[in-house]
Amino acid sequence: RKMPVILSVTPGSLQQLDAITQKVVCSYHFKNIEALALVSDFPGGFVVLHGGFGRMHMFVLEERDTLLRKVRENAAVHIGFMMRIRQEAVSSSYFRENRLGKFSADEHVMSVSEFPVLKTSRRHPEPVQRILALSETCLVERDPATYSIVTLRPLADVFALIRGTRDPQQFGIEYVQGEMRVYTSTDRDALLASLLDGVRASGNRDVVVKMRVTQ
């Protein structure tokens, strides 16, 4: 799905801003970018490989080369990180088939259990409906209208489950990278129990349930 955004290069990240409000909706920190790659059949297209498992995000803009040069300069100057641009470009069809990186195969997105939730996000002014699906290896968010995958995170990256005390329906998921996602569910405790079992079954035995966000 195509949507207009604003890209901004900061000293430590590539930021994605809402085209209307100009608020930051996503930050790709240079230290977490695995590589950049050009798109062979899309003039001005490039992808950001991010997240530690080859997850790809595609952007198209007229001044692509200028932006990529600025990204590499800032990464080198401000954090001493040599940003890599892949020698081989990717095609748009390759992107569609592999945008979830090493978790693109059906075995990683096939649901073991699913829960309807509302997600609170900087991308949306109001909470949005999502299906939070648990596979054997990943936590998958799906759009309930189309059942298409919105985003995916490996269960190995889950650091903690936050069972808030103020709202009996709200919970959060903290990841080892320091990010957190917030949801509400009318069946919160059953969801958290299933999620905890699934994360531990995947081999991540370090996950904990907490009442407060990690400081």
PDB file of all heavy atoms in Angstrom, residues 25 31 48 53-54 61 63 81 93 97 113 121 123 125-126 135 148 163 183 187 201 204 214:
ATOM      1  N   VAL A  25       6.524   9.280  12.962  1.00  0.00           N
ATOM      2  CA  VAL A  25       5.767   8.046  13.162  1.00  0.00           C
ATOM      3  C   VAL A  25       6.683   6.838  13.260  1.00  0.00           C
ATOM      4  O   VAL A  25       6.272   5.779  13.750  1.00  0.00           O
ATOM      5  CB  VAL A  25       4.733   7.822  12.039  1.00  0.00           C
ATOM      6  CG1 VAL A  25       3.687   8.915  12.055  1.00  0.00           C
ATOM      7  CG2 VAL A  25       5.403   7.737  10.674  1.00  0.00           C
ATOM      8  N   LYS A  31      22.143   2.470  13.852  1.00  0.00           N
ATOM      9  CA  LYS A  31      22.781   1.279  14.421  1.00  0.00           C
ATOM     10  C   LYS A  31      21.956   0.020  14.192  1.00  0.00           C
ATOM     11  O   LYS A  31      22.484  -1.097  14.274  1.00  0.00           O
ATOM     12  CB  LYS A  31      23.022   1.479  15.925  1.00  0.00           C
ATOM     13  CG  LYS A  31      21.765   1.655  16.750  1.00  0.00           C
ATOM     14  CD  LYS A  31      22.088   1.912  18.206  1.00  0.00           C
ATOM     15  CE  LYS A  31      20.831   2.114  19.042  1.00  0.00           C
ATOM     16  NZ  LYS A  31      19.966   0.928  19.071  1.00  0.00           N
ATOM     17  N   VAL A  48      15.090  -0.040   3.060  1.00  0.00           N
ATOM     18  CA  VAL A  48      15.840  -0.072   4.313  1.00  0.00           C
ATOM     19  C   VAL A  48      15.669  -1.468   4.911  1.00  0.00           C
ATOM     20  O   VAL A  48      14.540  -1.906   5.141  1.00  0.00           O
ATOM     21  CB  VAL A  48      15.317   0.986   5.302  1.00  0.00           C
ATOM     22  CG1 VAL A  48      16.070   0.905   6.629  1.00  0.00           C
ATOM     23  CG2 VAL A  48      15.435   2.381   4.712  1.00  0.00           C
ATOM     24  N   PHE A  53      16.500  -8.923  11.211  1.00  0.00           N
ATOM     25  CA  PHE A  53      16.119 -10.146  10.493  1.00  0.00           C
ATOM     26  C   PHE A  53      15.783  -9.872   9.029  1.00  0.00           C
ATOM     27  O   PHE A  53      15.090 -10.641   8.376  1.00  0.00           O
ATOM     28  CB  PHE A  53      14.943 -10.844  11.186  1.00  0.00           C
ATOM     29  CG  PHE A  53      13.709  -9.982  11.397  1.00  0.00           C
ATOM     30  CD1 PHE A  53      12.673  -9.999  10.475  1.00  0.00           C
ATOM     31  CD2 PHE A  53      13.587  -9.181  12.509  1.00  0.00           C
ATOM     32  CE1 PHE A  53      11.532  -9.227  10.651  1.00  0.00           C
ATOM     33  CE2 PHE A  53      12.449  -8.397  12.710  1.00  0.00           C
ATOM     34  CZ  PHE A  53      11.427  -8.424  11.780  1.00  0.00           C
ATOM     35  N   GLY A  54      16.292  -8.745   8.513  1.00  0.00           N
ATOM     36  CA  GLY A  54      16.132  -8.442   7.098  1.00  0.00           C
ATOM     37  C   GLY A  54      14.791  -7.871   6.707  1.00  0.00           C
ATOM     38  O   GLY A  54      14.439  -7.872   5.527  1.00  0.00           O
ATOM     39  N   LEU A  61      11.545   8.307  -3.977  1.00  0.00           N
ATOM     40  CA  LEU A  61      11.627   9.767  -4.001  1.00  0.00           C
ATOM     41  C   LEU A  61      12.574  10.204  -5.112  1.00  0.00           C
ATOM     42  O   LEU A  61      13.449   9.446  -5.545  1.00  0.00           O
ATOM     43  CB  LEU A  61      12.091  10.318  -2.658  1.00  0.00           C
ATOM     44  CG  LEU A  61      13.537  10.066  -2.230  1.00  0.00           C
ATOM     45  CD1 LEU A  61      13.924  11.075  -1.140  1.00  0.00           C
ATOM     46  CD2 LEU A  61      13.730   8.658  -1.704  1.00  0.00           C
ATOM     47  N   GLU A  63      14.887  12.621  -5.058  1.00  0.00           N
ATOM     48  CA  GLU A  63      16.251  12.915  -4.631  1.00  0.00           C
ATOM     49  C   GLU A  63      16.821  11.766  -3.798  1.00  0.00           C
ATOM     50  O   GLU A  63      17.447  11.977  -2.761  1.00  0.00           O
ATOM     51  CB  GLU A  63      16.278  14.232  -3.855  1.00  0.00           C
ATOM     52  CG  GLU A  63      15.814  15.422  -4.680  1.00  0.00           C
ATOM     53  CD  GLU A  63      15.880  16.723  -3.913  1.00  0.00           C
ATOM     54  OE1 GLU A  63      16.365  16.717  -2.767  1.00  0.00           O
ATOM     55  OE2 GLU A  63      15.445  17.757  -4.463  1.00  0.00           O
ATOM     56  N   PHE A  81      29.493   4.851  12.249  1.00  0.00           N
ATOM     57  CA  PHE A  81      28.913   3.642  11.664  1.00  0.00           C
ATOM     58  C   PHE A  81      28.995   3.728  10.145  1.00  0.00           C
ATOM     59  O   PHE A  81      28.537   4.699   9.545  1.00  0.00           O
ATOM     60  CB  PHE A  81      27.460   3.501  12.121  1.00  0.00           C
ATOM     61  CG  PHE A  81      26.766   2.267  11.607  1.00  0.00           C
ATOM     62  CD1 PHE A  81      27.107   1.011  12.070  1.00  0.00           C
ATOM     63  CD2 PHE A  81      25.759   2.364  10.647  1.00  0.00           C
ATOM     64  CE1 PHE A  81      26.472  -0.127  11.599  1.00  0.00           C
ATOM     65  CE2 PHE A  81      25.105   1.234  10.169  1.00  0.00           C
ATOM     66  CZ  PHE A  81      25.469  -0.022  10.654  1.00  0.00           C
ATOM     67  N   SER A  93       9.219  -7.100  -7.108  1.00  0.00           N
ATOM     68  CA  SER A  93       8.610  -8.404  -6.843  1.00  0.00           C
ATOM     69  C   SER A  93       9.354  -9.129  -5.728  1.00  0.00           C
ATOM     70  O   SER A  93       8.736  -9.779  -4.873  1.00  0.00           O
ATOM     71  CB  SER A  93       8.591  -9.263  -8.111  1.00  0.00           C
ATOM     72  OG  SER A  93       9.909  -9.490  -8.590  1.00  0.00           O
ATOM     73  N   GLU A  97       7.750 -10.328  -1.996  1.00  0.00           N
ATOM     74  CA  GLU A  97       7.819 -11.716  -1.543  1.00  0.00           C
ATOM     75  C   GLU A  97       8.677 -11.892  -0.300  1.00  0.00           C
ATOM     76  O   GLU A  97       8.518 -12.889   0.423  1.00  0.00           O
ATOM     77  CB  GLU A  97       8.378 -12.592  -2.662  1.00  0.00           C
ATOM     78  CG  GLU A  97       7.471 -12.675  -3.886  1.00  0.00           C
ATOM     79  CD  GLU A  97       8.154 -13.334  -5.074  1.00  0.00           C
ATOM     80  OE1 GLU A  97       9.319 -13.777  -4.907  1.00  0.00           O
ATOM     81  OE2 GLU A  97       7.535 -13.412  -6.151  1.00  0.00           O
ATOM     82  N   SER A 113      -2.672 -18.967  17.535  1.00  0.00           N
ATOM     83  CA  SER A 113      -3.816 -18.338  18.198  1.00  0.00           C
ATOM     84  C   SER A 113      -3.914 -16.896  17.730  1.00  0.00           C
ATOM     85  O   SER A 113      -2.921 -16.292  17.312  1.00  0.00           O
ATOM     86  CB  SER A 113      -3.676 -18.400  19.722  1.00  0.00           C
ATOM     87  OG  SER A 113      -2.470 -17.792  20.140  1.00  0.00           O
ATOM     88  N   SER A 121      -0.901   3.905  18.462  1.00  0.00           N
ATOM     89  CA  SER A 121       0.328   4.104  17.706  1.00  0.00           C
ATOM     90  C   SER A 121       0.469   5.562  17.288  1.00  0.00           C
ATOM     91  O   SER A 121      -0.519   6.272  17.099  1.00  0.00           O
ATOM     92  CB  SER A 121       0.312   3.204  16.459  1.00  0.00           C
ATOM     93  OG  SER A 121       1.305   3.563  15.541  1.00  0.00           O
ATOM     94  N   ARG A 123       1.332   6.411  14.478  1.00  0.00           N
ATOM     95  CA  ARG A 123       0.916   6.476  13.081  1.00  0.00           C
ATOM     96  C   ARG A 123      -0.550   6.857  12.927  1.00  0.00           C
ATOM     97  O   ARG A 123      -0.966   7.294  11.852  1.00  0.00           O
ATOM     98  CB  ARG A 123       1.140   5.122  12.404  1.00  0.00           C
ATOM     99  CG  ARG A 123       2.591   4.743  12.227  1.00  0.00           C
ATOM    100  CD  ARG A 123       2.704   3.381  11.571  1.00  0.00           C
ATOM    101  NE  ARG A 123       4.082   2.956  11.393  1.00  0.00           N
ATOM    102  CZ  ARG A 123       4.835   3.218  10.342  1.00  0.00           C
ATOM    103  NH1 ARG A 123       4.315   3.908   9.334  1.00  0.00           N
ATOM    104  NH2 ARG A 123       6.080   2.794  10.259  1.00  0.00           N
ATOM    105  N   PRO A 125      -4.135   8.736  14.716  1.00  0.00           N
ATOM    106  CA  PRO A 125      -4.642   9.624  15.772  1.00  0.00           C
ATOM    107  C   PRO A 125      -5.539   8.904  16.768  1.00  0.00           C
ATOM    108  O   PRO A 125      -5.660   9.329  17.924  1.00  0.00           O
ATOM    109  CB  PRO A 125      -5.418  10.694  14.993  1.00  0.00           C
ATOM    110  CG  PRO A 125      -5.770  10.041  13.692  1.00  0.00           C
ATOM    111  CD  PRO A 125      -4.646   9.114  13.385  1.00  0.00           C
ATOM    112  N   GLU A 126      -6.191   7.832  16.340  1.00  0.00           N
ATOM    113  CA  GLU A 126      -7.064   7.045  17.208  1.00  0.00           C
ATOM    114  C   GLU A 126      -6.595   5.586  17.189  1.00  0.00           C
ATOM    115  O   GLU A 126      -5.967   5.137  16.228  1.00  0.00           O
ATOM    116  CB  GLU A 126      -8.521   7.121  16.725  1.00  0.00           C
ATOM    117  CG  GLU A 126      -9.110   8.527  16.719  1.00  0.00           C
ATOM    118  CD  GLU A 126      -9.287   9.105  18.106  1.00  0.00           C
ATOM    119  OE1 GLU A 126      -9.419   8.290  19.060  1.00  0.00           O
ATOM    120  OE2 GLU A 126      -9.287  10.333  18.243  1.00  0.00           O
ATOM    121  N   SER A 135       2.357 -17.011  16.101  1.00  0.00           N
ATOM    122  CA  SER A 135       2.822 -18.200  15.387  1.00  0.00           C
ATOM    123  C   SER A 135       3.858 -18.892  16.260  1.00  0.00           C
ATOM    124  O   SER A 135       4.118 -18.475  17.391  1.00  0.00           O
ATOM    125  CB  SER A 135       3.412 -17.833  14.026  1.00  0.00           C
ATOM    126  OG  SER A 135       4.720 -17.294  14.168  1.00  0.00           O
ATOM    127  N   SER A 148      -4.278  -8.949   5.811  1.00  0.00           N
ATOM    128  CA  SER A 148      -2.895  -8.788   5.372  1.00  0.00           C
ATOM    129  C   SER A 148      -2.014  -8.465   6.582  1.00  0.00           C
ATOM    130  O   SER A 148      -2.465  -7.895   7.578  1.00  0.00           O
ATOM    131  CB  SER A 148      -2.779  -7.679   4.333  1.00  0.00           C
ATOM    132  OG  SER A 148      -3.229  -6.453   4.872  1.00  0.00           O
ATOM    133  N   ARG A 163       1.592  -5.566  32.112  1.00  0.00           N
ATOM    134  CA  ARG A 163       0.187  -5.676  32.518  1.00  0.00           C
ATOM    135  C   ARG A 163      -0.136  -4.472  33.395  1.00  0.00           C
ATOM    136  O   ARG A 163       0.054  -4.482  34.600  1.00  0.00           O
ATOM    137  CB  ARG A 163      -0.039  -6.985  33.271  1.00  0.00           C
ATOM    138  CG  ARG A 163      -1.482  -7.264  33.677  1.00  0.00           C
ATOM    139  CD  ARG A 163      -1.548  -8.589  34.415  1.00  0.00           C
ATOM    140  NE  ARG A 163      -2.923  -8.910  34.794  1.00  0.00           N
ATOM    141  CZ  ARG A 163      -3.526  -8.500  35.909  1.00  0.00           C
ATOM    142  NH1 ARG A 163      -2.856  -7.728  36.768  1.00  0.00           N
ATOM    143  NH2 ARG A 163      -4.761  -8.856  36.183  1.00  0.00           N
ATOM    144  N   TYR A 183      -1.423  -1.959  23.428  1.00  0.00           N
ATOM    145  CA  TYR A 183      -2.694  -2.468  22.920  1.00  0.00           C
ATOM    146  C   TYR A 183      -3.729  -2.484  24.046  1.00  0.00           C
ATOM    147  O   TYR A 183      -3.390  -2.380  25.229  1.00  0.00           O
ATOM    148  CB  TYR A 183      -2.544  -3.910  22.406  1.00  0.00           C
ATOM    149  CG  TYR A 183      -1.428  -4.145  21.443  1.00  0.00           C
ATOM    150  CD1 TYR A 183      -0.141  -4.452  21.888  1.00  0.00           C
ATOM    151  CD2 TYR A 183      -1.647  -4.087  20.059  1.00  0.00           C
ATOM    152  CE1 TYR A 183       0.887  -4.686  20.990  1.00  0.00           C
ATOM    153  CE2 TYR A 183      -0.619  -4.327  19.168  1.00  0.00           C
ATOM    154  CZ  TYR A 183       0.650  -4.623  19.636  1.00  0.00           C
ATOM    155  OH  TYR A 183       1.678  -4.855  18.758  1.00  0.00           O
ATOM    156  N   ASP A 187     -10.033  -9.237  26.551  1.00  0.00           N
ATOM    157  CA  ASP A 187      -9.605 -10.534  27.080  1.00  0.00           C
ATOM    158  C   ASP A 187      -8.116 -10.488  27.374  1.00  0.00           C
ATOM    159  O   ASP A 187      -7.377 -11.423  27.059  1.00  0.00           O
ATOM    160  CB  ASP A 187      -9.933 -11.633  26.055  1.00  0.00           C
ATOM    161  CG  ASP A 187     -10.053 -13.004  26.690  1.00  0.00           C
ATOM    162  OD1 ASP A 187     -10.127 -13.076  27.935  1.00  0.00           O
ATOM    163  OD2 ASP A 187     -10.060 -14.003  25.949  1.00  0.00           O
ATOM    164  N   ALA A 201       7.792 -20.993  24.756  1.00  0.00           N
ATOM    165  CA  ALA A 201       7.875 -22.199  23.924  1.00  0.00           C
ATOM    166  C   ALA A 201       8.814 -21.998  22.735  1.00  0.00           C
ATOM    167  O   ALA A 201       9.402 -22.959  22.233  1.00  0.00           O
ATOM    168  CB  ALA A 201       6.488 -22.579  23.429  1.00  0.00           C
ATOM    169  N   ASN A 204      12.567 -18.424  24.114  1.00  0.00           N
ATOM    170  CA  ASN A 204      12.882 -17.200  24.854  1.00  0.00           C
ATOM    171  C   ASN A 204      12.403 -17.377  26.295  1.00  0.00           C
ATOM    172  O   ASN A 204      11.256 -17.087  26.620  1.00  0.00           O
ATOM    173  CB  ASN A 204      12.202 -16.005  24.192  1.00  0.00           C
ATOM    174  CG  ASN A 204      12.508 -14.690  24.889  1.00  0.00           C
ATOM    175  OD1 ASN A 204      13.167 -14.659  25.931  1.00  0.00           O
ATOM    176  ND2 ASN A 204      12.041 -13.595  24.307  1.00  0.00           N
ATOM    177  N   THR A 214       9.655  -0.645  31.773  1.00  0.00           N
ATOM    178  CA  THR A 214      11.056  -0.629  32.128  1.00  0.00           C
ATOM    179  C   THR A 214      11.630   0.769  31.969  1.00  0.00           C
ATOM    180  O   THR A 214      11.433   1.418  30.935  1.00  0.00           O
ATOM    181  CB  THR A 214      11.844  -1.618  31.242  1.00  0.00           C
ATOM    182  OG1 THR A 214      11.280  -2.929  31.380  1.00  0.00           O
ATOM    183  CG2 THR A 214      13.308  -1.661  31.642  1.00  0.00           C
TER     184      THR A 214
END
